[in-house]
Amino acid sequence: MSRASYVAGTNVPITTTSLFSLLSHPSSRAPSPPGTPGTQFSDSHTPSSIPAISTLQEAQDLRAEVIEGIQEIVDELNQADDQMAGYALDYIHSNETILTHTPSLTLQKFLLKAAAKRKFTVIHAETSPSHDRQVSTATRVRSSSALDDEAGSEQFQKILTAAGVMVVVVPFTAIFALMSRVDKVLLGPHVVLADGGLVAAAGAKVITKAARMHRTPVVVLSGIYKLSPMYPFDPGALIEHGDPSQVSAYGDGGVIGKLRLENPLFDFVPPDMVDLYITNLFVLPTILLQTGNTDARQWRSCSMLPVPYSGGSLPE
């Protein structure tokens, strides 16, 4: 779609091209000279057609840049999980017990990478299947952060077991009792906020509190595309709630009239509950994440910590 206007006092048109047709084929957007609809350009262009040709060339150049930028983003998303899995052998050791929560493709690849050379046990805290489906529907991300709804925790368990990992599935209510035997907690967030806190599937806050009580380190696996410059001034506003009928049927009239039912799909985890962030580009403790997350776009050019961090002066 293009529009032609004329400079006052002249017959030279100024053609502008709509952004809605920017990615369409150039031949379908080629403008015709004014006054001669349906005709094609001749070999010798008239002066009136030169501005239109220049504008079309600029649109083609911009189209190529936009496509290249989109392809870079797609490639980064596809490689993020594999890049984070490359750090697995540095942070998972033999005979350790790892606690996970909610099925995640990112966690699965991370654990499978470590299972190639390490023997360890995974305790998977399982919530209700209906809750897992609600969380997956709310995030709208199936390929990078959540497994198939039809399989969920069962698929997560089978894949790890096939790789030689001992997987123990426990109800969510048993987390505190088992935390004393856990060496490390691995979480996959929905989003990482500017202060170093995170929003994750409901239950993550309970897990991190139990880990803090038992002095168990909490490690978060997050691609940089999940980093947000938003500061949680009102953490309650970040929590999405699901259908309360999943908690109690509306047919229980006596209960509904006396209780206020809430079904939160996510939890806000404060930054002091997290010890380490592993991203697809670098590994950072929470204190450095708080200073770097104010503008996530600058992280690509920042000099971050090596992996693993062995002490010394911190980067500016």
Side-chain angles (χ1 to χ4, degrees), residues 31-298:
S32 300
T36 58
T39 60
Q40 297 181 349
F41 288 110
S42 60
D43 294 337
S44 59
H45 301 295
T46 61
S48 61
S49 66
I50 294 178
I53 296 175
S54 177
T55 303
L56 179 59
Q57 183 62 38
E58 293 177 358
Q60 293 176 355
D61 296 340
L62 180 59
R63 174 176 176 268
E65 293 180 3
V66 170
I67 293 177
E68 182 180 358
I70 294 175
Q71 187 59 47
E72 290 180 357
I73 295 175
V74 172
D75 293 340
E76 180 179 339
L77 294 178
N78 292 334
Q79 299 172 5
D81 290 343
D82 294 330
Q83 291 172 340
M84 283 183 282
Y87 298 135
L89 295 177
D90 295 323
Y91 294 97
I92 294 182
H93 308 288
S94 298
N95 302 322
E96 280 191 335
T97 300
I98 310 297
L99 176 67
T100 62
H101 173 51
T102 67
S104 169
L105 187 59
T106 301
L107 293 177
Q108 177 183 294
K109 289 187 176 182
F110 191 85
L111 295 172
L112 288 176
K113 185 70 173 181
K117 296 184 178 180
R118 302 278 196 273
K119 293 295 183 181
F120 56 91
T121 303
V122 172
I123 297 179
H124 182 67
E126 185 179 37
T127 57
S128 64
S130 60
H131 183 271
D132 288 342
R133 286 193 293 270
Q134 290 181 79
V135 172
S136 180
T137 302
T139 57
R140 293 293 190 272
V141 179
R142 296 173 182 265
S143 60
S144 62
S145 64
L147 298 176
D148 188 1
D149 291 344
E150 300 298 331
S153 298
E154 183 178 356
Q155 179 185 1
F156 183 79
Q157 177 185 1
K158 287 182 177 180
I159 294 177
L160 293 180
T161 302
V165 179
M166 179 181 294
V167 180
V168 181
V169 180
V170 299
F172 185 77
T173 53
I175 289 177
F176 192 86
L178 294 173
M179 188 60 70
S180 60
R181 302 186 179 185
V182 173
D183 297 301
K184 194 178 282 87
V185 175
L186 293 182
L187 294 178
H190 178 54
V191 62
V192 179
L193 302 172
D195 67 337
L198 59 95
V199 176
K205 189 172 183 179
V206 174
I207 293 176
T208 55
K209 281 190 173 182
R212 179 65 52 168
M213 180 70 67
H214 291 85
R215 299 296 189 266
T216 303
V218 177
V219 179
V220 175
L221 303 177
S222 172
I224 61 170
Y225 59 88
K226 292 185 179 182
L227 304 181
S228 171
M230 179 183 298
Y231 193 89
F233 293 103
D234 184 10
L238 303 174
I239 307 304
E240 182 177 351
H241 290 74
D243 185 4
S245 66
Q246 299 290 337
V247 179
S248 178
Y250 286 114
D252 301 334
V255 177
I256 297 298
K258 299 178 181 179
L259 298 177
R260 177 182 176 182
L261 297 178
E262 294 185 358
N263 184 19
L265 301 181
F266 300 99
D267 272 347
F268 169 73
V269 179
D272 59 338
M273 297 290 182
V274 180
D275 297 287
L276 192 69
Y277 280 91
I278 298 178
T279 72
N280 53 309
L281 295 183
F282 43 77
V283 178
L284 283 178
T286 306
I287 185 63
L288 289 184
L289 188 72
Q290 294 173 351
T291 61
N293 200 12
T294 54
D295 188 359
R297 294 182 181 87
Q298 294 181 0

Side-chain angles (χ1 to χ4, degrees), residues 6-25:
Y6 294 86
V7 180
T10 67
N11 292 326
V12 179
I14 300 177
T15 304
T16 58
T17 303
S18 173
L19 290 177
F20 291 102
S21 61
L22 181 63
L23 299 180
S24 62
H25 195 275

